[in-house]
Amino acid sequence: MAGDRPGAVTDIDVAELQRRLAAFAAVRDWGQYHTPKNLAAALSVEASELLEIFQWLTPEQSAGIMEDPASAHRVADEVADVLAYLLQFCEVLGIDPTAALVAKLERNEKRFPLPSAVEPPDRHSSE
């Protein structure tokens, strides 16, 4: 199963995650706190908590952090927190996060073209 290995992407729909997060917050009456400013601040805090895990590690230690189950769990939890706040932020502002990412990738491909000697990979291949 794809979700069993680090870096794997599951087939969960982003919109469904946003609906679940919104429902979770709604039944707790947290919507009043989910302003763009507050969500951006919470996102920054959670990203900082992710960074804190890696703060004093060597490059080698950071590359192997997922080998230790306790460290892997901490990293995954912080990634989940960052993603949750980012998805809530996008929901509140009406941003489609996947469309925003696709548009940004397309702008970056034009902004940072490959050297003419290098062929770009086929973005639509199944490999």
Side-chain angles (χ1 to χ4, degrees), residues 12-110:
I12 296 174
D13 181 67
V14 171
E16 176 61 22
L17 288 173
Q18 286 178 305
R19 282 189 291 275
R20 285 183 66 184
L21 288 163
F24 183 87
V27 297
R28 290 159 178 82
D29 197 27
W30 291 351
Q32 61 187 318
Y33 307 111
H34 287 188
T35 65
K37 179 196 78 68
N38 288 351
L39 290 168
L43 176 59
S44 177
V45 168
E46 294 301 337
S48 294
E49 289 179 7
L50 178 61
L51 177 59
E52 182 181 30
I53 296 169
F54 293 89
Q55 185 174 8
W56 302 113
L57 299 183
T58 66
E60 296 78 19
Q61 289 169 324
S62 68
I65 198 159
M66 299 305 283
E67 294 168 12
D68 173 50
S71 296
H73 187 292
R74 287 180 60 214
V75 170
D77 273 357
E78 295 306 334
V79 166
D81 289 343
V82 168
L83 183 56
Y85 279 120
L86 179 59
L87 291 178
Q88 290 173 74
F89 178 82
C90 289
E91 177 72 18
V92 166
L93 290 179
I95 297 169
D96 177 337
T98 55
L101 179 55
V102 168
K104 182 67 173 191
L105 285 169
E106 290 172 354
R107 284 193 309 275
N108 281 346
E109 287 169 347
K110 291 176 184 160

